[in-house]
Amino acid sequence: MATPILMPKQGNTVEECILIAWKKKPGDEVSEGDIIAEIETDKATFELESPASGELIGTFCEEGDLVPVLTNIGVIGKKGEDIEAFRPSEDTPAEEVSVSSAPSEPSAAAPAATTATASAPVTKAEAESVPQAKTVSPRAKKLAERYGISTDAISGTGPGGRVIEADIRAYRATAPRLSSLAKELVKDGYRMPQKGTGIGGMVLSGDLGKPGIPLSNMRSIIASRMMESLQEAAQFTLNASAPAAPLLAARKEIKAQKGKPGFVDVNLNDMLMYITTLGLAESPDVNAELIDNKIYQHDDVDIAFACDTPKGLLVPVIKEAQKLSLPELATRLKTYAQEAVNGNISPDLLSGGSFTVSNLGNLGIESFTPIINAPQVAILGVCAIGLKPVKTSEGVQFVDHIGLSLTIDHQAIDGAVGARFLKKLVERISTFKLSTEISHV
Amino acid sequence: MYDLIVIGAGPGGYEAAIHAGKMKKKVILFDKKYIGGTCLNVGCIPTKTLLKSAHVYHDCKESGLYGITTSAPKFNMAKVQARKKKVITTLTQGVEGMLKRSKVKVVKAAATIIDKGIVEAEGKTYKASNILIATGSAPAVPPIKGIDSKGILDSTSALGLTKIPTSLVIIGGGVIGLEFASLFSDLGTKVTIVEMLPNIAPGIDTDVTSHLKEGLEKKKVKFNLGCAVQEVKNKTVNFKDKNGTKRSVKGEYILNATGRRPVTEGLGLENIGVNTNRGNITTSDEGKTNIPGIWACGDVTGRCLLAHAATAEGLVAVNNMFGTPTTMRYEAIPSVIYTNPEVACVGKTEAQCKDEEIEYTVSALPMAVAGRFTVENEGKFGMVKVLVGKAYGQLLGVHMIGSHCSEILQGAVTMIECEMRVKDVKDIVFPHPTVSEALKEACIHAG
C-alpha cells in the first residue's frame, strides 16, 4: 500500500511552505526517516523525513513551488503502483503558485489585524506595491538579446521609463564592444563594467561583474519587513547608558558557581533581557503594538530577540517572559537561539512578540538605530560596555557603562514616554543584585 | 631632469624608452653591456640564427625526399658565426636608429639607483620622475657541485662555440636546453639531456611535449628524465636516476641550461627598499613596484620570462606613467620553442583548466589536414590541439607542434585575446593552401 508524503504543518500559523529541494528523485529507494526534501517557511528551513520505506514512486510538485500544508507532495510505495489517487486536485494552489520571483507570504488565513499578539503578515496587495522592476518593450528586449546587451544599465525613455528599441540602439552606439564570450556571459546575467580592458577597450569576460544573487526567500522577507517598518512607523532613537558594574559583578558571581548542582549559566544578555522584561511589565505603553490606528497594549511580556543565524536574521519570541525566573529565562534564550541557528525552531516561536531586543554589544557597537519589529512600537538595542567619565566627590573617574539604544514609533509613543522607559531600565541595571533576582518568580 | 630613466636596453627597456620618447617625454636609457639586451645579443636572435643554419643543413641532407640530389652538405661554423654577428649588428643598429629617432639618450654604462628618482652612472647623477627597471635575467647557476667550474657552458657561451661538439650533455630539459639539443643534434652532435622533472618543457601541453620528445629522439637525443644531477666533474655529469641509481654521462661539452635568474646586483634596490621575491622585483599588473615612481618590467620581475612579455609590460608601465592607464593581461601571451619540429602555444593548458576548474573539450588534429603541411613536410608530423570552454565554446588554449606553427600562432593569439568562440573562428576566412587551415579545422572539429 502506497503512503503519501504530506507537506507538514510547521506550527499553527503556517499555511504554506516552499519546497526548496528534493533530496530524492522518483525511482530512488528510501527508508523511513530518510531526508527526502528540504522545505522552507517564511521563517526557517526544515528537512522533511520520509514517512515510510519503499520507492519514491511519484512527486506532485517541483522545487520552488509554494505548497499548502497537508497537501500530498509525493508518494512512497512499490514500483508500478498507481499514484493518481494521491495527486492533489487541480484547484489547490500548489499547482499554480511558483515563487521564483516574488517572496511568498503567509496565507491571509491568519487574521493578524484582529489578534493583537500576532505580527502582521505581508498581504498580497502590499507585496505588489513594492516598486516594479524596469519594464522593457518586447522589441527592445529582442534587440538587446541580439546585441548581447544587458538592459540593466539602460535608462528607458519610453512611457514610465520603459526601455524601448531606440534606447537599445542609442546605448549600442556608445557602449563598449564586447568579446563573444563576454556577450554570452551578459546574457547569463553578468554585469557590464564601466570600461573594458581588452584591445581597443573591448570588454572581456574578466571585466564583467558577477551576476546578482537572488534574495533567498528568507532574505526577501527580512527585506520587505524592514522596508515596511521604516515606511510605516515614525521611528526615532534615544541613546542612554547605565553603569555596568552590577551586571559585571553578577556575572563574576555566576562564573564562580560553575560546576555546582543546578547551575545555570546566566550571561550579560540574559540579565538584560530579564531586566527589560521587568521594565516592560510596568510599561504597557511600550509593551504594545500599533495596528490600524489602534494601540494594543499587552499584559504579557512576549519578548522577542534578534538572533544572527547562518541564513539570516531570525527573531524568536519568549512568550509570557514575565513569568520566568532569571535562570528559566536564560535557559529558554539559549535553547531558542540554538534552535534558530540550527534551523529547527518551530515557526510558532518566530511570531507574536510584543517587544524586541537586539544585542550588538558583543560586536563592539557603541550605539545604533534598531529598526522596529512592526507592528510593535519599540525596540531596544543593547550596545557594548565602555568606559565613561563620571564626576564623583573624588574627581572624575572612568566607570564601565553599557549603552542602550531605544527606537520608538512616535505615532504611538512620545519621546518622554520612551525616555522614561529607558531611565527605568538604567535604574534597574544600576541597582541589579543577583541574590534578589535569582529567587524571583 | 628627465621624465623617465630606463635601466636595461633589452626588449623591455628599449621598447618602453622608444614609446615614451614618441610621447615627447625626455628619456634616458642605460645599459651596462649592449643595446638589445639578452634577446638580441645572446638570446632569441643568435639562437634562431644558428637554428636556421642547422635547419638549412638538415634540409640539404633530406633534399632527396623532395627529388633533389646534392653532394653532402658541410656546416661551416666560422661562416655561420659570422652571419650571426652580422644579423645581430643589423638588428642592433635598427634599434639604435629607432632610439635616436625617438630622441632617447643612450648611455652605455651601469646605472645604480641611489635614491628615489636619482640614478648614478660613471660618477654622474641623473634625476627623473620615473625609473623603469628592465635589467632582465642571466643564466642561473644552481647549487650543483662543479657546475660553475671552467669549461661548463651556459647559453651565452654555447652560442659562441666555434666548432661542432662531438658530444654534448645538457643539464635542464626546459626551453633553452631543448633548443640547443635540437640545434646540435641536427649538426650531428651526440646530445644527452639530464632533467630533474619527469617531463621536458614544464608548463607546455603534455601531448605536445611527448611529440617533441619523440621528434628529438629521432635525432638521437637521449633523455634522462626525473634525474637529479649530483656533481659535474671531468666533463662528466653524475646524477641519480628516478630509481635512485647513481649514473653518469660524459660529454665533450657540458651545458648548464637549468634556468635564469633576475639581474639586480649593483642596481641599488636596497637603497630605496624595492620589494623583491626570491630576487625578482615584485610588480603590480600596472608595472608598479612598492616604491612610487619606480617601475619594472620583463625578466627581472620573474612574471613571464619572454621577450614579448617584457615589451608588453614595459609599454603598460609607460602608458601608466604618461598615457592612458592600463593593466597587463597575461591570458594570451604566446610562447614558442624553436626546436625542429617547433612548438607554439597560447592560452590555457589542460592542467591549468583542471586547476582552475574550467570545464573544457579537446579537439586535436594532425597538421596534415592542411594540404600545405603535407606538401612542405615530407614524412613529418605536426599537430594542432585546441581547448574549448564547455559552457560557452570559447577558445581557451591552442597548442601546436610542427613546421610553421610559430608563424600561425599569432592568429590563435588574436582569437584568445578577443575571447572568440570556436563558432566565431569558423566565420573567419583562412588563406588556402596554408598550414593555418589546420587551426581552423581543429576549431571546426571542436564543434
Side-chain angles (χ1 to χ4, degrees), chain A residues 179-242:
Chain A
S179 76
S180 300
L181 176 60
K183 274 184 201 166
E184 295 288 334
L185 292 170
V186 166
K187 280 183 201 162
D188 281 358
Y190 280 72
R191 296 168 67 208
M192 282 287 289
Q194 291 296 317
K195 66 184 187 80
T197 62
I199 290 166
M202 181 186 270
V203 173
L204 302 174
S205 56
D207 299 328
L208 301 173
K210 284 188 181 144
I213 303 163
L215 290 186
S216 68
N217 184 44
M218 186 152 144
R219 201 68 249 160
S220 304
I221 303 237
I222 294 170
S224 61
R225 287 265 159 85
M226 292 298 168
M227 285 310 295
E228 271 169 46
S229 172
L230 284 176
Q231 280 160 3
E232 289 173 16
Q235 307 197 15
F236 84 118
T237 303
L238 304 164
N239 292 300
S241 66

Side-chain angles (χ1 to χ4, degrees), chain A residues 345-359:
Chain A
I345 190 161
S346 161
D348 287 347
L349 297 175
L350 295 173
S351 60
S354 60
F355 182 87
T356 302
V357 177
S358 173
N359 188 342

